[in-house]
Amino acid sequence: MKITSTQLIARVTTGDDIPEQDFRHVAFIGRSNVGKSSVINVLTSKKDLAKSSSTAGFTKSINFYLINKNFFLVDLQGYGFAQGSLKERKRLQQMIEWYLTYPDLEDKQLIVLIIDAKVGATDLDRQMLTLLKDLEKKVIVIANKIDKLKKNDVKKQIAAIVEEAHPYAVIPFSAHDKIGVPALTKEIVSQ
Ligand code: GDP
């Protein structure tokens, strides 16, 4: 996928309208610090399209980028940000759930759930997987940071994530080493 244009179209939060244009949505979600911004940036070949969720000082919103005037890349907030106050964490969780339950998106929405390959699925990841299954979302799971694994551990760790993520497909990925980008691109293009 050659990225020819990226435009920030909207920053929305709970209760706002989401952009009405009839583009597909590819929505990225994951635990805070899982490398979501890095995955988005490597996918779009941009240095800083998505700012790290740990960046201080700006209001956390759901950001809609129009890619190639063809689909919306939706940057959902990271969940479980340890340094955030309980109130802020709740607000972000509600915002994610608000987007996921927004009416009439099912047919044009792909959720890309990012899990840390080294850490494996956490309780929060499991809760998110359960929610996505309950909502019958179309999901692809990215196991990011595989470069951090010892060669001998890759198979075992990926197998564990595949089991947790069932029935969703899992793409071994490294934003750092640009591993898995073609596989993810293929999923997005063929959505
Ligand atoms: P976000 O909070 O989920 O948006 O995560 P960031 O993209 O800001 O990444 C969090 C940290 O993980 C940063 O220090 C990144 O450099 C690091 N990181 C992200 N992707 C990878 C990866 O594939 N491999 C390694 N080793 N580190 C990564």
Side-chain angles (χ1 to χ4, degrees), residues 70-135:
N70 179 256
F71 69 92
F72 282 131
L73 188 159
V74 183
D75 184 6
L76 292 170
Q77 280 302 328
Y79 47 83
F81 184 42
Q83 276 130 299
S85 67
L86 187 61
K87 199 172 154 207
E88 177 67 353
R89 265 185 282 168
K90 275 195 175 147
R91 186 186 79 81
L92 295 178
Q93 184 67 26
Q94 276 167 0
M95 191 169 73
I96 293 167
E97 288 178 16
W98 166 78
Y99 170 76
L100 292 174
T101 53
Y102 199 91
D104 301 329
L105 286 181
E106 292 81 9
D107 293 346
K108 52 179 183 180
Q109 198 181 37
L110 173 69
I111 309 293
V112 181
L113 172 66
I114 306 171
I115 289 178
D116 188 313
K118 181 148 192 217
V119 175
T122 65
D123 284 346
L124 286 175
D125 295 329
R126 287 188 195 104
Q127 282 169 28
M128 185 53 67
L129 279 162
T130 302
L131 177 66
L132 293 170
K133 283 180 211 168
D134 286 350
L135 293 170

Side-chain angles (χ1 to χ4, degrees), residues 5-12 16-25 49 61-75:
S5 66
T6 57
Q7 275 171 281
L8 177 63
I9 297 289
R11 293 164 56 92
V12 304
D16 291 344
D17 290 330
I18 65 165
E20 272 185 10
Q21 293 102 312
D22 199 26
F23 295 114
R24 295 179 296 126
H25 290 206
L49 185 70
S61 53
I62 297 175
N63 298 338
F64 284 73
Y65 301 91
L66 182 59
I67 308 293
N68 293 357
K69 298 193 167 58
N70 179 256
F71 69 92
F72 282 131
L73 188 159
V74 183
D75 184 6

Side-chain angles (χ1 to χ4, degrees), residues 116-182:
D116 188 313
K118 181 148 192 217
V119 175
T122 65
D123 284 346
L124 286 175
D125 295 329
R126 287 188 195 104
Q127 282 169 28
M128 185 53 67
L129 279 162
T130 302
L131 177 66
L132 293 170
K133 283 180 211 168
D134 286 350
L135 293 170
E136 299 182 0
K137 295 291 177 188
K138 207 169 151 190
V139 176
I140 183 91
V141 174
I142 297 295
N144 189 37
K145 307 195 186 183
I146 57 160
D147 60 282
K148 285 174 100 177
L149 294 173
K150 291 195 199 100
K151 263 218 166 101
N152 289 341
D153 293 340
V154 173
K155 233 178 157 179
K156 194 178 72 197
Q157 272 299 89
I158 295 297
I161 293 172
V162 165
E163 195 172 320
E164 297 266 10
H166 180 81
Y168 302 131
V170 176
I171 298 178
F173 202 94
S174 164
H176 206 269
D177 289 352
K178 301 191 177 165
I179 295 168
V181 181

